[in-house]
Amino acid sequence: MSEPGPEIAEMLKQARAQMYAGRFDEALGLAQSLLKDDADNIDGLYIKAVCERYLGDMKTALASVDRLKSLSPDFGRAYQEEGHIFKALGDEQSALSAYRRACQCNPALQASWKAQADILEGWGRRDAAAEMRGQEHRIAAMPKPLIAVSNLLHEGKLVKAENACRHFLQSNPHHVEAMRLLADIGVRLGILEDADFLLESAIEFEPDNIQVRIDYIQTLRKRQKFAEALEQSHLLYQRDQDNPVFQSLYAIELMQTGDYEKALQLFDLVLQKLPDDPVTLTSKGHALKTFGRQEEAVQSYQKAFQSDASYGDAYYGLANLKTYRFSDDELQLMNSQENGNQLSYQNRIHICFALGKAYEDRQEYDKSFEYYERGNELKRVQSRYDADQMTAELDNQITACTPDLFAKHSGRGCAAPDPIFILGLPRAGSTLLEQILASHSQIDGTLELPNILSLAHRLRRQKQASNQSLYPDNLDALDADQLHAMGQEFIDSTRIHRQDAPFFIDKMPNNFRHVGLIKLILPHAKIIDARREPMACCFSGFKQLFAEGQEFTYGLHEIGRYYKDYVRLMDHWDAVLPDAVLRVQHEDILDNLETEVRRMLDYLGLPFEQACIEFHKTKRAVRTASSEQVRQPITKASVDLWRHYEAHLQPLKDALGQTILESQQ
């Protein structure tokens, strides 16, 4: 949320002062004057709605709240104000729904918890009221500065929230809730390592603090530290094996480490207690999809949005199967949700991408693009991606990783030949290559492992004693023992994802940025560059909503520029590490499957096996967006799909520039 200019800020200050003094006419006048200059000012609209309610103009107040919700779908105080208006009108059912939504958006809204408790007590629902009252009292007991931090945090004012939280911690360095809030801010800013440290420290101070441990598990998962997240979730589960929250958390972490059968058993236990819970139904759908049980996955996703028509992840789960076709009724339901103003920000993103896929399948390509673009625009607002910074990062690799560097460290590193890295861009066919190779008896498929990225991040933060520069410049200063230890650490830390085969695949696409590091610490590792025609690859990425990361995909210009930088860096690796990387073109796989399979196996030094040709018969968990596609024989259906959208793709063509022509040579 952007900060207002000094004049607007002063008008807001005066309007608030008049409102808090009970001079609602004066406050309303100031708010209206402010909105003439800044019609979309969230705080101004909020003051306007509050004043209109106190002045008895409920119809206008509701219109102001609707405007607020359309501009900021997750602004908790808008829903709280809506609750107050409905309560004043005597509509307690609508008021309760609004208060609930307010607390979902901002759990620090004490007035909304109190109002829910009051309504539920009046209805005789004492147990439910007691739960709300407990939340009210919890917030009342919080230090006022931390309530302010929480409000800032949940209204997207992250810099202000961080400054206020750090100021509080200076005087209260071991305050666990302050540490938890600062960690939450860190997660939202993408500073996951600091959040991890804060939460680990907070648990040491208060081992029985459930919310801190839940936040810690979720942060570990975001960092893809799956073994640690599984351990922490199991600790919670052991505390109370009948608690549906603990069951669900443990099930999710079991999924991340490949134990889908046990995860599904736990989801079923949760659903015995909460049969219509859309979150659990959708999580179960994800597990069933990954496990290859598509029909059951479809049923679980459908039940989720039948339970809650606004739950966008359920629709997108169906769209992300790639093989599902929405019915007319489902399309109408999604449209009605997207056209309304009751959706949360994240639910709207999911539904926009699902609508893009629905209209794509109906060959209504202009309408499909409209929704893909809308979903991407919403994601870009959340994104902190900087294309210039990414270009500079890749330039640093080219500058630092020279022939002299590799000559100096020749013969060092860990000699293990186990890893096979498949890298490149997402949606370039890497899942298909993994499925083909994992069908070989000597190769395990795993997932997109975070270990190389984590090592690079660690090196980026650590200066070597003999060299004050940072990664990748500090690669030159690493000694033989350090390089060996890093390679061995990779082998040891990835073992949890392997079965019994001598070789295994890491298909993290972003590892292309770190080929130099890989070859220094694992000189015998094999590397395959999964390459796809640039327009097809980039547009496929643009219309994909990723669970985490890949923020360069949420704009046509951004993804085109990223592809061009990727090609440039891969050309550098070819120059300084001749024959180290095998390039496999997706279109060649589609045209000459057996030839390309034999070429890959020759590069890997493995004998040909027919199972690699019949890869779609292989039973294994596949965790990426292509999971259903790779369980079918080769198809060329999507090769030229982008051409149906070509009228909208000029920004992508402009960004790719000469790269398009070079790919056709």
Side-chain angles (χ1 to χ4, degrees):
M1 189 177 293
S2 60
E3 293 296 318
E7 291 185 11
I8 296 292
E10 180 58 31
M11 293 177 74
L12 280 171
K13 182 180 177 182
Q14 292 179 22
R16 285 194 193 97
Q18 296 290 352
M19 181 176 72
Y20 292 142
R23 293 189 285 271
F24 299 110
D25 280 318
E26 291 87 341
L28 179 59
L30 285 165
Q32 290 171 330
S33 179
L34 178 158
L35 291 166
K36 287 179 183 176
D37 297 326
D38 186 2
D40 294 343
N41 187 283
I42 300 299
D43 291 317
L45 278 166
Y46 173 71
I47 292 169
K48 179 174 180 286
V50 172
C51 293
E52 286 164 345
R53 171 171 62 86
Y54 272 104
L55 293 169
D57 190 353
M58 301 301 176
K59 183 178 179 181
T60 308
L62 277 175
S64 296
V65 166
D66 283 345
R67 173 76 175 147
L68 257 179
K69 292 192 298 181
S70 68
L71 290 170
S72 184
D74 289 335
F75 186 60
R77 283 186 290 155
Y79 294 95
Q80 178 169 274
E81 186 57 31
E82 184 177 53
H84 292 336
I85 295 167
F86 281 128
K87 191 174 181 182
L89 291 170
D91 185 350
E92 289 191 335
Q93 186 63 60
S94 297
L96 185 65
S97 297
Y99 288 132
R100 280 178 178 161
R101 181 64 188 283
C103 293
Q104 289 169 0
C105 296
N106 182 354
L109 291 174
Q110 183 181 354
S112 287
W113 292 113
K114 180 182 185 304
Q116 288 182 79
D118 291 344
I119 291 171
L120 290 166
E121 282 175 357
W123 292 354
R125 293 172 56 183
R126 293 179 180 175
D127 288 346
E131 184 181 341
M132 303 300 115
R133 196 69 75 192
Q135 292 291 343
E136 177 198 349
H137 293 156
R138 179 186 67 82
I139 297 165
M142 281 176 63
K144 283 187 168 53
L146 290 189
I147 296 175
V149 167
S150 190
N151 284 323
L152 290 167
L153 166 66
H154 290 100
E155 291 177 8
K157 300 171 182 175
L158 298 182
V159 174
K160 282 187 173 181
E162 180 181 5
N163 291 338
C165 199
R166 289 189 184 280
H167 180 74
F168 180 85
L169 279 165
Q170 285 176 358
S171 305
N172 306 272
H174 296 158
H175 196 287
V176 166
E177 181 61 13
M179 295 169 75
R180 190 190 72 79
L181 286 169
L182 187 58
D184 193 349
I185 294 164
V187 168
R188 293 170 193 244
L189 291 171
I191 311 170
L192 297 178
E193 190 169 347
D194 290 356
D196 184 338
F197 174 76
L198 277 164
L199 292 167
E200 186 178 17
S201 303
I203 285 173
E204 290 181 10
F205 294 133
E206 290 187 14
D208 294 330
N209 189 312
I210 301 300
Q211 189 58 56
V212 169
R213 198 171 293 274
I214 289 173
D215 287 5
Y216 186 43
I217 292 166
Q218 292 170 339
T219 301
L220 288 169
R221 187 192 314 142
K222 281 180 178 290
R223 296 194 69 197
Q224 297 188 312
K225 295 170 74 171
F226 298 129
E228 294 94 325
L230 180 64
E231 180 185 353
Q232 290 293 325
S233 65
H234 188 244
L235 286 173
L236 271 186
Y237 176 66
Q238 286 182 315
R239 292 174 69 105
D240 182 359
Q241 295 189 11
D242 293 325
N243 185 309
V245 174
F246 299 167
Q247 290 171 334
S248 182
L249 275 170
Y250 187 35
I252 289 168
E253 303 317 321
L254 286 165
M255 282 173 59
Q256 300 300 334
T257 49
D259 194 344
Y260 292 93
E261 289 189 27
K262 191 167 183 179
L264 286 166
Q265 290 171 7
L266 285 166
F267 284 137
D268 284 339
L269 287 175
V270 175
L271 291 169
Q272 286 177 14
K273 300 184 186 74
L274 306 167
D276 297 320
D277 180 51
V279 178
T280 304
L281 287 164
T282 302
S283 295
K284 181 182 177 182
H286 295 337
L288 290 164
K289 168 202 168 185
T290 306
F291 213 35
R293 291 158 60 178
Q294 182 175 349
E295 288 186 12
E296 293 172 82
V298 167
Q299 292 170 4
S300 198
Y301 288 136
Q302 288 175 330
K303 191 172 180 183
F305 69 71
Q306 287 162 4
S307 170
D308 180 355
S310 70
Y311 194 65
D313 196 14
Y315 300 106
Y316 188 69
L318 288 170
N320 207 28
L321 290 170
K322 309 300 181 188
T323 55
Y324 183 79
R325 299 295 179 266
F326 287 101
S327 69
D328 289 348
D329 288 344
E330 289 168 342
L331 183 62
Q332 183 179 356
L333 184 60
M334 284 192 290
N335 271 313
S336 67
Q337 289 294 318
E338 207 283 322
N339 290 333
N341 65 356
Q342 297 298 312
L343 284 178
S344 71
Y345 199 89
Q346 201 59 38
N347 282 332
R348 190 173 298 279
I349 290 171
H350 278 113
I351 288 177
C352 282
F353 276 93
L355 282 167
K357 182 64 167 65
Y359 283 112
E360 174 189 318
D361 292 337
R362 291 166 182 252
Q363 300 182 6
E364 296 183 42
Y365 297 113
D366 288 342
K367 201 157 191 177
S368 169
F369 184 82
E370 176 188 333
Y371 282 108
Y372 281 139
E373 174 62 14
R374 191 178 303 176
N376 277 285
E377 285 175 354
L378 291 168
K379 283 295 292 183
R380 280 199 298 278
V381 170
Q382 294 181 321
S383 172
R384 309 182 77 83
Y385 179 70
D386 185 329
D388 291 336
Q389 183 178 328
M390 180 57 67
T391 297
E393 180 183 319
L394 302 190
D395 284 342
N396 288 342
Q397 293 285 337
I398 292 172
T399 302
C401 296
T402 63
D404 289 344
L405 173 72
F406 297 110
K408 174 180 177 179
H409 291 307
S410 178
R412 297 178 176 179
C414 175
D418 311 23
I420 301 166
F421 292 91
I422 300 178
L423 43 74
L425 258 68
R427 310 298 298 150
S430 60
T431 304
L432 176 58
L433 297 188
E434 182 194 37
Q435 181 77 353
I436 290 169
L437 294 177
S439 300
H440 195 284
S441 62
Q442 296 188 51
I443 302 175
D444 283 332
T446 60
L447 70 159
E448 296 177 357
L449 301 173
N451 304 63
I452 292 295
L453 301 185
S454 296
L455 174 57
H457 183 68
R458 210 163 72 214
L459 286 168
R460 198 173 284 122
R461 293 169 64 97
Q462 295 175 355
K463 294 184 178 180
Q464 299 299 312
S466 60
N467 186 342
Q468 290 302 301
S469 59
L470 298 178
Y471 178 81
D473 296 318
N474 56 11
L475 291 174
D476 183 71
L478 297 173
D479 61 30
D481 289 343
Q482 288 173 308
L483 292 170
H484 181 273
M486 290 175 184
Q488 189 62 52
E489 179 190 343
F490 178 86
I491 297 298
D492 294 342
S493 62
T494 55
R495 199 166 299 280
I496 188 174
H497 302 290
R498 299 174 62 175
Q499 303 298 317
D500 300 317
F503 302 98
F504 72 99
I505 296 168
D506 174 355
K507 66 174 292 289
M508 171 62 75
N510 301 345
N511 282 338
F512 83 85
R513 307 174 196 168
H514 307 290
V515 168
L517 173 62
I518 291 170
K519 294 304 287 184
L520 290 175
I521 67 171
L522 294 160
H524 299 294
K526 299 295 187 180
I527 300 174
I528 296 175
D529 173 19
R531 186 76 61 94
R532 186 178 179 186
E533 190 277 327
M535 289 296 292
C537 182
C538 292
F539 182 65
S540 185
F542 178 77
K543 68 191 191 75
Q544 178 69 41
L545 175 60
F546 293 93
E548 291 284 346
Q550 316 300 16
E551 293 188 344
F552 59 87
T553 63
Y554 298 119
L556 292 172
H557 175 81
E558 289 82 356
I559 194 170
R561 182 172 167 182
Y562 186 87
Y563 188 102
K564 187 163 65 173
D565 282 344
Y566 145 72
V567 169
R568 186 166 55 87
L569 182 56
M570 293 309 301
D571 288 347
H572 172 73
W573 298 134
D574 289 343
V576 298
L577 293 165
D579 303 320
V581 179
L582 179 72
R583 182 154 301 113
V584 178
Q585 194 72 32
H586 181 64
E587 292 76 17
D588 292 343
I589 289 280
L590 302 185
D591 289 338
N592 303 291
L593 176 61
E594 184 169 338
T595 299
E596 291 301 306
V597 168
R598 290 183 180 276
R599 189 167 78 93
M600 287 191 289
L601 293 176
D602 286 347
Y603 167 73
L604 297 174
L606 294 174
F608 175 79
E609 291 183 1
Q610 184 63 25
C612 295
I613 302 296
E614 299 173 351
F615 61 88
H616 53 282
K617 298 179 181 179
T618 301
K619 301 294 185 184
R620 55 179 288 267
V622 185
R623 307 189 192 193
T624 63
S626 304
S627 61
E628 292 310 307
Q629 292 166 303
V630 300
R631 293 189 172 108
Q632 301 172 4
I634 287 284
T635 175
K636 298 183 180 181
S638 63
V639 170
D640 289 325
L641 176 67
W642 67 270
R643 295 189 184 279
H644 295 294
Y645 297 85
E646 191 167 6
H648 304 284
L649 302 184
Q650 193 59 45
L652 174 56
K653 290 183 178 181
D654 292 342
L656 286 166
Q658 191 70 18
T659 308
I660 299 176
L661 297 176
E662 292 169 356
S663 72
Q664 297 169 348
Q665 294 174 358

